[in-house]
Every structure is written in structure tokens, then in C-alpha cells.
Amino acid sequence: MTKRILTYLVVSLMFTLPFRVFAQDGRTAYNFLNTTTSSHAYGLGGTNISIIDDDINLYEQNPALLGSEVDMQLGFSYMRYLGGSNYASVRFGKEAGERAAWAAGVQYFGYGKMDGYDEAGIQTGTFNPRDIVVTGSYSHDLSERVRGGASIKMIQSSYEQYNAFAIGVDLGVNYYNPDKDLSLSAVAKNLGGQVKRFADSYDRLPWDIQLGYTQSLHNGPFRVSITANNLTKWKLPYYKRVDDNDPNSALELKENFTSNLFRHLIFALEYAPSEKFYIGLGYNHKTKTDMTTASRNFLSGFSAAAGLNTQKLRVGIAFAQPHIGGTTFMVNFSTNLYEFK
């Protein structure tokens, strides 16, 4: 019965995708949900739904990547983000028979201490805004090469005296061909809505449709990934200065076909000579065009990751400088609790 339900959800995702591509206008809240807690995905451009890696921290990207191979695996993630923000998560996975698995996790997004003021400009004290996400995931092998998965997310936000609660759902499907080392994925993320509002207005979740492709080159140690995201909206215009060297130069709107296409795509290249080690580099053109300033930060849009797998511990790190004013660093740890018996 569980497999039938999951199959229905995955089929619904496949039929929903073509009709939803142009449906969203971009005005959403809860955009912290777009920040991954996986160092592997973060180093490959910030989003990757098709990379195959037995790491419990990765599966918040796509619940269909979750499988029985992570039985009794515990993972922890921490990132020092921009502006003094700190993100952390903990996840646990368990097999549910030979062809299924479940996982549970908690994510914390803290934004540091802020000063509060009333409408008259009088300081009311300090507060610590934060978001907490509790996630439950389930996956099942639909066939020998196809796996489907679903995650439900309970989202609680607290900003000074304002509080809100929302529920989101991720639906994913993955096709993996081990002979060609080819992985294809599709995910519908953050379906759902707000149950308790901050105030009178209703805030929508940043729901998205994503497609992913990962394959090794000639079954060698190099593998490439292409991830298409923000597929609920084709046009992603942005402003660019006419003269990049002049901070006072006039702005021009960029919204042609090529610009829109590449702002939907994330490219990544990895070198993984064995299951014990990998290094990767990602490029996100949307981050590049959104964050580059007149000082022309070369690193904006690029990110890097590396991982090491020992007998008892997996360690992953990622680095990015999305803006010249801030550098981000993420670290992941995971271990199989069976190793400590």
C-alpha cells in the first residue's frame, strides 16, 4: 500500500511538471528553504538533486536519493553564512526493508542578534530571529532503477513578537543506471502553505520544480552535473551596469533568451577516484549575476567542495563567496552507528 501511494505521488509530480513551469510570480517568503544543509550540494553550485552519494546529509535535496544503504546513519551539518547567520542540522536514516528507507531531521537557521524598534523609532530591545524545520522522509524502490521519495516539513518561524507555522512537502523521483553511472532526477519542492500567519497577509512557500542530470565521463573518475531550477518561472530578469568598471554607470535590463536560460542552470564537475574521496567545483550563473558588484568579484557564483570517507566517519566541506562582502563555509559529518558496536 505504501508503495502504491508513493507511486501515485511520483506520477502526480510527472504530470504536474509541464503545466506548472510558468505558473509562479516569484513573491514568496521562507526563502531560507532554498539554502541547502549539504556541503556536497553546496559546493556543487548550491543545488544538486541527482548526485549519488551515501551521505544522509545530502537527501534533503531529493528524498528519492534516500535508500536502505544509509541504515543507521547519523549526520550533522553546520554553516557560517553571510551577515553573522548560522545554519545547522542533524539527520538520521534507517532502512525499512530491502527496498525502502525513512529519515528524520531538524534544521536550524539563526540570524544573529538584532535591535528592535517601535513605529516611533524607539528601541525596544534585542531579539534573535530564527527558523526551525522538522523533516520526515520516506523512499521506496519503484523498480530496479527507479526510486521515489517524499518529505514532509514542519516549518516554525519566530521574528521578535511575530510567529508563523507552515507545512511543506517535497516529492522526488530518481532514475539510476549503474552500468552507465547515469543519474536523472525530478523534484517538486516546498509544496504546501502557511498554517499560522505572521500577521494578516498570507506568505507562500518558495515552491519549485527542479531537474537534475549527473553522469561520469566514460565511467572514469570525473562526473558532470547539470541542475535546472526555478522552473516555475521562465523569465528571471536582472539589472547589469553598462560599464562594469564604473559603480555609477547606468543600469540595463537583461532578460533575453540566453540570459534566462543560463540563470536556470547550475553546472558542476567532480573528481571522485574512489568512494573514499571526492573534490568538486560548481558554478551558479544566477548567483553570479545577482551578486557581482562593480568591483567584479571573480569568485561570485563559484563554489567548491571536498569529501573524505573513513571507516567510521564521513567528512565534507564546502566554500563559496557569493558576494565580495561575505565568505561562507560549511562542514558536514556523518557516521554509521553500527560501526560503534
Side-chain angles (χ1 to χ4, degrees), residues 234-236 254-264:
W234 166 248
K235 291 185 178 181
L236 297 175
K254 295 287 187 179
E255 57 175 350
N256 56 43
F257 175 84
T258 302
S259 170
N260 284 320
L261 175 63
F262 279 93
R263 278 168 61 81
H264 283 286

Side-chain angles (χ1 to χ4, degrees), residues 76-98:
F76 173 77
S77 173
Y78 172 78
M79 177 165 64
R80 179 69 172 178
Y81 201 58
L82 302 174
S85 300
N86 294 276
Y87 299 166
S89 72
V90 60
R91 295 180 182 277
F92 175 76
K94 183 74 173 65
E95 70 173 5
E98 295 182 357

Side-chain angles (χ1 to χ4, degrees), residues 1-14 140-142 148-149:
M1 179 62 69
T2 302
K3 182 177 178 180
R4 289 180 181 177
I5 294 173
L6 191 55
T7 302
Y8 172 78
L9 292 174
V10 171
V11 170
S12 298
L13 165 62
M14 296 298 97
H140 200 292
D141 293 345
L142 305 178

Side-chain angles (χ1 to χ4, degrees), residues 50-72:
S50 54
I51 199 74
I52 302 299
D53 187 8
D54 298 341
D55 182 3
I56 188 67
N57 293 300
L58 181 64
Y59 303 142
E60 55 90 16
Q61 289 282 286
N62 179 2
L65 298 179
L66 175 68
S68 57
E69 60 272 8
V70 295
D71 185 35
M72 295 297 292

